Amino acid sequence: MPKKPEGETARGDGGEELAKKYKMKFKHDLRAVARQFQIPGEFLEAMPYGSGHINDTYCVIFDQGGTRVRYLFQRINHGIFKNPVALMENVQRVTAHLAEKCGGATDQSRRSLTLIAARDGRSFYCDAQGNHWRVYIFIEKARTFDAVESPSQAFQAAKAFGQFQKLLADLPAPRLQDTIPDFHHTPKRFAALEKAIADDVSNRVRLAQPEIEFALRHKAICRVLLEANLPERVTHNDTKFNNVMLDDATGEGICVIDLDTVMPGLALYDFGDMVRTATSPAKEDERELSKVTLQFPMFEALARGYLSSAGEFLTPAEKKFLPFSGQLITFEIGIRFLTDFLAGDTYFKVHRDGHNLDRCRTQFKLVESIEQQETAMNKLVETI
Ligand code: ADP
Ligand code: GN1
Ligand code: MG
């Protein structure tokens, strides 16, 4: 696939134009995949979509009686999600539960993801190569952002993720399956980093000395939440800012997306990932590190937004650790990027040399910024 110019992504309405402009070639035959789903009308075109690091996402357009209707197609990355069938069982249960809860709303299909059934009635289609595909209704008149632009956006995103946790609190048994075991087990993430340093398979340890030293100095924070005796809940586990769609007209956090990691977890993992991705004005892979900083008004908006929907069920201990969770999750994702850099870029999609190291650097810079402001962050949360 030709490289996209930096800073541009095939996402949002601009994505379609970009895809055409750079004549992106697809790895997959979307027309053939589309035939396997219960979608009326005629297939028109497909284009790569979004800036996620894991799955292959496409926007596919159908002609339905003269109207162009978009659908969101995804190939599940089965190198990462080892059991796509179990994953889709989770997604089906979660989307059905959310739909039932929002059933009264006239715009319900914009407020939670809706799966389109495959021809055989299942929630996914498995092709001859073993790829698992799913299709969602495309959420129109809303978009995601790779970096936060205002406190109001931060408030809306956090409120939506808090509401998501609240709606799933009474998800009927059984327990959701762990789509990636120990996903947020920070000590195990740290152990994986130590192994990558010891193995040094790509001879890159020499390129990341300051980052490795930073990680080693912070090892002690890894266990804090695991030892705090916090309740297990149904959580999203990947609440980065571009995993919530904001309504174009009102700015409301209208729909939480990217449900692959919805499973049992700590509420704080979700809040921490919001702090990681919605307080700094810089993108996750920004190379100019002076731009990476926790902006206090964004943190305040996140805390107020999250507590406006999740405040009623959080325990005092959970509330107390809200600021720390930002530091921990930012550190955790930082060590995951560093581990992947050292391992030769096998996990996250990369688009340039050193991409994972750049991402690690922004995370560690943000950890420092959080550390500097943690006293003020704690004081603020006590007053909400
Ligand atoms: P990944 O797991 O790779 O991050 P996502 O599920 O987050 O994949 O999807 C990638 C991007 O596609 C999102 O950031 C969002 O912009 C867009 N997207 C995902 N689902 C929908 C949807 N149902 N309607 C419209 N856009 C969507
Ligand atoms: C991945 O799928 P996406 O791009 O929303 C990753 C998250 C990381 C994030 C870092 C399944 O999220 O855990 O925090 O990248 N998802 C998975 O940007 O590993
Ligand atoms: Mg995503």
PDB file of all heavy atoms in Angstrom, residues 11 49-55 57 72 74 113 136-139 144 242-243 245 257-258 260, ligand 1:
ATOM      1  N   ARG A  11      -9.699   8.599   7.244  1.00  0.00           N
ATOM      2  CA  ARG A  11     -10.754   8.525   8.248  1.00  0.00           C
ATOM      3  C   ARG A  11     -11.692   9.713   8.079  1.00  0.00           C
ATOM      4  O   ARG A  11     -11.350  10.707   7.493  1.00  0.00           O
ATOM      5  CB  ARG A  11     -10.127   8.577   9.651  1.00  0.00           C
ATOM      6  CG  ARG A  11     -11.153   8.656  10.736  1.00  0.00           C
ATOM      7  CD  ARG A  11     -10.548   8.920  12.093  1.00  0.00           C
ATOM      8  NE  ARG A  11      -9.451   9.872  12.120  1.00  0.00           N
ATOM      9  CZ  ARG A  11      -9.593  11.177  11.963  1.00  0.00           C
ATOM     10  NH1 ARG A  11     -10.762  11.717  11.751  1.00  0.00           N
ATOM     11  NH2 ARG A  11      -8.541  11.977  12.016  1.00  0.00           N
ATOM     12  N   TYR A  49     -10.217   2.472   5.964  1.00  0.00           N
ATOM     13  CA  TYR A  49     -10.830   3.503   6.790  1.00  0.00           C
ATOM     14  C   TYR A  49     -10.231   3.500   8.193  1.00  0.00           C
ATOM     15  O   TYR A  49      -9.898   2.457   8.733  1.00  0.00           O
ATOM     16  CB  TYR A  49     -12.340   3.214   6.890  1.00  0.00           C
ATOM     17  CG  TYR A  49     -13.158   4.414   7.259  1.00  0.00           C
ATOM     18  CD1 TYR A  49     -13.479   5.378   6.319  1.00  0.00           C
ATOM     19  CD2 TYR A  49     -13.593   4.586   8.575  1.00  0.00           C
ATOM     20  CE1 TYR A  49     -14.225   6.484   6.671  1.00  0.00           C
ATOM     21  CE2 TYR A  49     -14.345   5.695   8.929  1.00  0.00           C
ATOM     22  CZ  TYR A  49     -14.658   6.639   7.968  1.00  0.00           C
ATOM     23  OH  TYR A  49     -15.389   7.732   8.306  1.00  0.00           O
ATOM     24  N   GLY A  50     -10.098   4.692   8.770  1.00  0.00           N
ATOM     25  CA  GLY A  50      -9.718   4.808  10.179  1.00  0.00           C
ATOM     26  C   GLY A  50      -8.225   4.737  10.414  1.00  0.00           C
ATOM     27  O   GLY A  50      -7.431   4.512   9.486  1.00  0.00           O
ATOM     28  N   SER A  51      -7.843   4.932  11.663  1.00  0.00           N
ATOM     29  CA  SER A  51      -6.417   4.915  12.001  1.00  0.00           C
ATOM     30  C   SER A  51      -6.132   3.983  13.173  1.00  0.00           C
ATOM     31  O   SER A  51      -5.244   4.218  13.970  1.00  0.00           O
ATOM     32  CB  SER A  51      -5.935   6.342  12.313  1.00  0.00           C
ATOM     33  OG  SER A  51      -6.805   6.952  13.241  1.00  0.00           O
ATOM     34  N   GLY A  52      -6.951   2.916  13.291  1.00  0.00           N
ATOM     35  CA  GLY A  52      -6.722   1.942  14.363  1.00  0.00           C
ATOM     36  C   GLY A  52      -5.422   1.178  14.137  1.00  0.00           C
ATOM     37  O   GLY A  52      -4.943   1.062  13.009  1.00  0.00           O
ATOM     38  N   HIS A  53      -4.855   0.664  15.220  1.00  0.00           N
ATOM     39  CA  HIS A  53      -3.564  -0.033  15.144  1.00  0.00           C
ATOM     40  C   HIS A  53      -3.694  -1.532  14.945  1.00  0.00           C
ATOM     41  O   HIS A  53      -2.692  -2.234  14.834  1.00  0.00           O
ATOM     42  CB  HIS A  53      -2.778   0.159  16.451  1.00  0.00           C
ATOM     43  CG  HIS A  53      -2.393   1.573  16.726  1.00  0.00           C
ATOM     44  ND1 HIS A  53      -2.281   2.532  15.764  1.00  0.00           N
ATOM     45  CD2 HIS A  53      -2.063   2.173  17.895  1.00  0.00           C
ATOM     46  CE1 HIS A  53      -1.910   3.669  16.314  1.00  0.00           C
ATOM     47  NE2 HIS A  53      -1.780   3.490  17.612  1.00  0.00           N
ATOM     48  N   ILE A  54      -4.939  -2.068  14.967  1.00  0.00           N
ATOM     49  CA  ILE A  54      -5.058  -3.520  15.094  1.00  0.00           C
ATOM     50  C   ILE A  54      -5.799  -4.182  13.927  1.00  0.00           C
ATOM     51  O   ILE A  54      -5.232  -5.010  13.225  1.00  0.00           O
ATOM     52  CB  ILE A  54      -5.779  -3.880  16.432  1.00  0.00           C
ATOM     53  CG1 ILE A  54      -5.064  -3.219  17.626  1.00  0.00           C
ATOM     54  CG2 ILE A  54      -5.880  -5.388  16.608  1.00  0.00           C
ATOM     55  CD1 ILE A  54      -3.656  -3.686  17.904  1.00  0.00           C
ATOM     56  N   ASN A  55      -7.059  -3.824  13.746  1.00  0.00           N
ATOM     57  CA  ASN A  55      -7.863  -4.518  12.734  1.00  0.00           C
ATOM     58  C   ASN A  55      -7.704  -3.870  11.361  1.00  0.00           C
ATOM     59  O   ASN A  55      -7.130  -2.791  11.243  1.00  0.00           O
ATOM     60  CB  ASN A  55      -9.342  -4.483  13.147  1.00  0.00           C
ATOM     61  CG  ASN A  55      -9.581  -5.282  14.415  1.00  0.00           C
ATOM     62  OD1 ASN A  55      -9.071  -6.394  14.542  1.00  0.00           O
ATOM     63  ND2 ASN A  55     -10.338  -4.727  15.341  1.00  0.00           N
ATOM     64  N   THR A  57      -9.872  -2.120   8.692  1.00  0.00           N
ATOM     65  CA  THR A  57     -11.202  -1.502   8.658  1.00  0.00           C
ATOM     66  C   THR A  57     -11.456  -0.910   7.280  1.00  0.00           C
ATOM     67  O   THR A  57     -10.564  -0.275   6.704  1.00  0.00           O
ATOM     68  CB  THR A  57     -11.298  -0.400   9.741  1.00  0.00           C
ATOM     69  OG1 THR A  57     -11.033  -0.975  11.019  1.00  0.00           O
ATOM     70  CG2 THR A  57     -12.675   0.251   9.760  1.00  0.00           C
ATOM     71  N   LEU A  72     -19.580  -0.374   7.733  1.00  0.00           N
ATOM     72  CA  LEU A  72     -18.224  -0.463   8.284  1.00  0.00           C
ATOM     73  C   LEU A  72     -17.836  -1.934   8.346  1.00  0.00           C
ATOM     74  O   LEU A  72     -18.447  -2.704   9.094  1.00  0.00           O
ATOM     75  CB  LEU A  72     -18.257   0.188   9.688  1.00  0.00           C
ATOM     76  CG  LEU A  72     -16.975   0.729  10.322  1.00  0.00           C
ATOM     77  CD1 LEU A  72     -16.064  -0.385  10.785  1.00  0.00           C
ATOM     78  CD2 LEU A  72     -16.225   1.693   9.405  1.00  0.00           C
ATOM     79  N   GLN A  74     -14.951  -4.933   9.003  1.00  0.00           N
ATOM     80  CA  GLN A  74     -13.678  -5.149   9.712  1.00  0.00           C
ATOM     81  C   GLN A  74     -13.224  -6.591   9.621  1.00  0.00           C
ATOM     82  O   GLN A  74     -14.024  -7.516   9.814  1.00  0.00           O
ATOM     83  CB  GLN A  74     -13.804  -4.763  11.191  1.00  0.00           C
ATOM     84  CG  GLN A  74     -13.717  -3.252  11.390  1.00  0.00           C
ATOM     85  CD  GLN A  74     -13.776  -2.837  12.828  1.00  0.00           C
ATOM     86  OE1 GLN A  74     -14.499  -3.440  13.608  1.00  0.00           O
ATOM     87  NE2 GLN A  74     -13.035  -1.799  13.184  1.00  0.00           N
ATOM     88  N   LEU A 113     -23.300   0.256  18.693  1.00  0.00           N
ATOM     89  CA  LEU A 113     -22.967  -0.421  17.442  1.00  0.00           C
ATOM     90  C   LEU A 113     -23.995  -1.499  17.125  1.00  0.00           C
ATOM     91  O   LEU A 113     -24.472  -2.191  18.020  1.00  0.00           O
ATOM     92  CB  LEU A 113     -21.569  -1.043  17.533  1.00  0.00           C
ATOM     93  CG  LEU A 113     -20.398  -0.061  17.466  1.00  0.00           C
ATOM     94  CD1 LEU A 113     -19.073  -0.798  17.671  1.00  0.00           C
ATOM     95  CD2 LEU A 113     -20.379   0.697  16.140  1.00  0.00           C
ATOM     96  N   TYR A 136     -20.713  -3.554  10.607  1.00  0.00           N
ATOM     97  CA  TYR A 136     -21.556  -2.720  11.468  1.00  0.00           C
ATOM     98  C   TYR A 136     -22.301  -1.693  10.620  1.00  0.00           C
ATOM     99  O   TYR A 136     -21.791  -1.244   9.570  1.00  0.00           O
ATOM    100  CB  TYR A 136     -20.699  -1.901  12.439  1.00  0.00           C
ATOM    101  CG  TYR A 136     -20.050  -2.668  13.563  1.00  0.00           C
ATOM    102  CD1 TYR A 136     -18.662  -2.691  13.685  1.00  0.00           C
ATOM    103  CD2 TYR A 136     -20.814  -3.307  14.540  1.00  0.00           C
ATOM    104  CE1 TYR A 136     -18.040  -3.353  14.738  1.00  0.00           C
ATOM    105  CE2 TYR A 136     -20.197  -3.976  15.600  1.00  0.00           C
ATOM    106  CZ  TYR A 136     -18.811  -3.989  15.687  1.00  0.00           C
ATOM    107  OH  TYR A 136     -18.207  -4.643  16.730  1.00  0.00           O
ATOM    108  N   ILE A 137     -23.445  -1.274  11.109  1.00  0.00           N
ATOM    109  CA  ILE A 137     -24.084  -0.070  10.562  1.00  0.00           C
ATOM    110  C   ILE A 137     -23.095   1.071  10.738  1.00  0.00           C
ATOM    111  O   ILE A 137     -22.428   1.180  11.776  1.00  0.00           O
ATOM    112  CB  ILE A 137     -25.393   0.248  11.323  1.00  0.00           C
ATOM    113  CG1 ILE A 137     -26.466  -0.774  10.962  1.00  0.00           C
ATOM    114  CG2 ILE A 137     -25.865   1.673  11.028  1.00  0.00           C
ATOM    115  CD1 ILE A 137     -27.813  -0.519  11.637  1.00  0.00           C
ATOM    116  N   PHE A 138     -22.957   1.889   9.709  1.00  0.00           N
ATOM    117  CA  PHE A 138     -22.037   3.028   9.761  1.00  0.00           C
ATOM    118  C   PHE A 138     -22.712   4.155  10.551  1.00  0.00           C
ATOM    119  O   PHE A 138     -23.848   4.532  10.265  1.00  0.00           O
ATOM    120  CB  PHE A 138     -21.740   3.496   8.329  1.00  0.00           C
ATOM    121  CG  PHE A 138     -20.522   4.343   8.211  1.00  0.00           C
ATOM    122  CD1 PHE A 138     -19.310   3.793   7.813  1.00  0.00           C
ATOM    123  CD2 PHE A 138     -20.578   5.704   8.497  1.00  0.00           C
ATOM    124  CE1 PHE A 138     -18.173   4.578   7.698  1.00  0.00           C
ATOM    125  CE2 PHE A 138     -19.442   6.490   8.399  1.00  0.00           C
ATOM    126  CZ  PHE A 138     -18.242   5.934   7.992  1.00  0.00           C
ATOM    127  N   ILE A 139     -22.005   4.663  11.558  1.00  0.00           N
ATOM    128  CA  ILE A 139     -22.563   5.783  12.333  1.00  0.00           C
ATOM    129  C   ILE A 139     -22.316   7.056  11.528  1.00  0.00           C
ATOM    130  O   ILE A 139     -21.164   7.491  11.397  1.00  0.00           O
ATOM    131  CB  ILE A 139     -21.884   5.918  13.719  1.00  0.00           C
ATOM    132  CG1 ILE A 139     -21.757   4.565  14.430  1.00  0.00           C
ATOM    133  CG2 ILE A 139     -22.607   6.973  14.562  1.00  0.00           C
ATOM    134  CD1 ILE A 139     -22.967   4.030  15.074  1.00  0.00           C
ATOM    135  N   THR A 144     -14.595  10.456  14.756  1.00  0.00           N
ATOM    136  CA  THR A 144     -13.606  10.291  15.819  1.00  0.00           C
ATOM    137  C   THR A 144     -12.456  11.271  15.578  1.00  0.00           C
ATOM    138  O   THR A 144     -12.250  11.755  14.463  1.00  0.00           O
ATOM    139  CB  THR A 144     -13.041   8.859  15.836  1.00  0.00           C
ATOM    140  OG1 THR A 144     -12.542   8.552  14.518  1.00  0.00           O
ATOM    141  CG2 THR A 144     -14.094   7.847  16.209  1.00  0.00           C
ATOM    142  N   ASN A 242      -9.998   8.103  20.195  1.00  0.00           N
ATOM    143  CA  ASN A 242     -10.606   7.830  18.886  1.00  0.00           C
ATOM    144  C   ASN A 242     -11.463   6.564  18.872  1.00  0.00           C
ATOM    145  O   ASN A 242     -11.835   6.077  17.815  1.00  0.00           O
ATOM    146  CB  ASN A 242      -9.580   7.847  17.748  1.00  0.00           C
ATOM    147  CG  ASN A 242      -8.613   6.688  17.786  1.00  0.00           C
ATOM    148  OD1 ASN A 242      -8.816   5.723  18.521  1.00  0.00           O
ATOM    149  ND2 ASN A 242      -7.554   6.768  16.994  1.00  0.00           N
ATOM    150  N   ASN A 243     -11.809   6.071  20.058  1.00  0.00           N
ATOM    151  CA  ASN A 243     -12.758   4.968  20.127  1.00  0.00           C
ATOM    152  C   ASN A 243     -14.124   5.417  20.634  1.00  0.00           C
ATOM    153  O   ASN A 243     -14.922   4.607  21.119  1.00  0.00           O
ATOM    154  CB  ASN A 243     -12.205   3.829  20.984  1.00  0.00           C
ATOM    155  CG  ASN A 243     -11.184   3.010  20.201  1.00  0.00           C
ATOM    156  OD1 ASN A 243     -11.235   2.951  18.967  1.00  0.00           O
ATOM    157  ND2 ASN A 243     -10.261   2.377  20.907  1.00  0.00           N
ATOM    158  N   MET A 245     -17.315   8.068  19.173  1.00  0.00           N
ATOM    159  CA  MET A 245     -17.721   8.958  18.086  1.00  0.00           C
ATOM    160  C   MET A 245     -18.452  10.154  18.669  1.00  0.00           C
ATOM    161  O   MET A 245     -19.331  10.012  19.517  1.00  0.00           O
ATOM    162  CB  MET A 245     -18.610   8.205  17.101  1.00  0.00           C
ATOM    163  CG  MET A 245     -17.898   6.948  16.606  1.00  0.00           C
ATOM    164  SD  MET A 245     -18.349   6.386  14.967  1.00  0.00           S
ATOM    165  CE  MET A 245     -18.060   7.784  13.950  1.00  0.00           C
ATOM    166  N   ILE A 257     -17.180   2.825  20.390  1.00  0.00           N
ATOM    167  CA  ILE A 257     -16.888   1.818  19.356  1.00  0.00           C
ATOM    168  C   ILE A 257     -15.694   0.946  19.782  1.00  0.00           C
ATOM    169  O   ILE A 257     -15.198   1.083  20.899  1.00  0.00           O
ATOM    170  CB  ILE A 257     -16.613   2.489  17.985  1.00  0.00           C
ATOM    171  CG1 ILE A 257     -15.427   3.443  18.090  1.00  0.00           C
ATOM    172  CG2 ILE A 257     -17.860   3.228  17.502  1.00  0.00           C
ATOM    173  CD1 ILE A 257     -14.927   3.930  16.741  1.00  0.00           C
ATOM    174  N   ASP A 258     -15.250   0.092  18.897  1.00  0.00           N
ATOM    175  CA  ASP A 258     -14.072  -0.753  19.116  1.00  0.00           C
ATOM    176  C   ASP A 258     -14.255  -1.652  20.346  1.00  0.00           C
ATOM    177  O   ASP A 258     -13.571  -1.493  21.364  1.00  0.00           O
ATOM    178  CB  ASP A 258     -12.820   0.120  19.253  1.00  0.00           C
ATOM    179  CG  ASP A 258     -11.565  -0.661  18.895  1.00  0.00           C
ATOM    180  OD1 ASP A 258     -11.642  -1.901  18.845  1.00  0.00           O
ATOM    181  OD2 ASP A 258     -10.515  -0.033  18.683  1.00  0.00           O
ATOM    182  N   ASP A 260     -13.696  -4.870  20.858  1.00  0.00           N
ATOM    183  CA  ASP A 260     -12.970  -6.149  20.902  1.00  0.00           C
ATOM    184  C   ASP A 260     -12.440  -6.513  22.284  1.00  0.00           C
ATOM    185  O   ASP A 260     -12.229  -7.684  22.582  1.00  0.00           O
ATOM    186  CB  ASP A 260     -11.770  -6.110  19.943  1.00  0.00           C
ATOM    187  CG  ASP A 260     -12.202  -5.913  18.514  1.00  0.00           C
ATOM    188  OD1 ASP A 260     -13.284  -6.392  18.159  1.00  0.00           O
ATOM    189  OD2 ASP A 260     -11.457  -5.262  17.762  1.00  0.00           O
TER     190      ASP A 260
HETATM  191  P1  ADP B   1      -9.228  -0.609  15.565  1.00  0.00           P
HETATM  192  O1  ADP B   1      -9.517  -1.742  16.505  1.00  0.00           O
HETATM  193  O2  ADP B   1      -8.288  -0.990  14.505  1.00  0.00           O
HETATM  194  O3  ADP B   1      -8.848   0.627  16.315  1.00  0.00           O
HETATM  195  P2  ADP B   1     -11.908   0.557  15.301  1.00  0.00           P
HETATM  196  O4  ADP B   1     -13.038  -0.378  15.595  1.00  0.00           O
HETATM  197  O5  ADP B   1     -11.576   1.540  16.354  1.00  0.00           O
HETATM  198  O6  ADP B   1     -10.627  -0.306  14.835  1.00  0.00           O
HETATM  199  O7  ADP B   1     -12.265   1.319  13.945  1.00  0.00           O
HETATM  200  C1  ADP B   1     -11.336   2.179  13.313  1.00  0.00           C
HETATM  201  C2  ADP B   1     -11.990   3.516  12.999  1.00  0.00           C
HETATM  202  O8  ADP B   1     -13.127   3.309  12.149  1.00  0.00           O
HETATM  203  C3  ADP B   1     -12.560   4.264  14.211  1.00  0.00           C
HETATM  204  O9  ADP B   1     -11.584   5.059  14.833  1.00  0.00           O
HETATM  205  C4  ADP B   1     -13.667   5.088  13.596  1.00  0.00           C
HETATM  206  O10 ADP B   1     -13.173   6.300  13.037  1.00  0.00           O
HETATM  207  C5  ADP B   1     -14.166   4.219  12.452  1.00  0.00           C
HETATM  208  N1  ADP B   1     -15.371   3.443  12.842  1.00  0.00           N
HETATM  209  C6  ADP B   1     -15.405   2.285  13.541  1.00  0.00           C
HETATM  210  N2  ADP B   1     -16.670   1.833  13.665  1.00  0.00           N
HETATM  211  C7  ADP B   1     -17.466   2.723  13.016  1.00  0.00           C
HETATM  212  C8  ADP B   1     -18.890   2.797  12.746  1.00  0.00           C
HETATM  213  N3  ADP B   1     -19.733   1.846  13.141  1.00  0.00           N
HETATM  214  N4  ADP B   1     -19.339   3.867  12.039  1.00  0.00           N
HETATM  215  C9  ADP B   1     -18.476   4.812  11.574  1.00  0.00           C
HETATM  216  N5  ADP B   1     -17.145   4.785  11.781  1.00  0.00           N
HETATM  217  C10 ADP B   1     -16.639   3.755  12.488  1.00  0.00           C
END
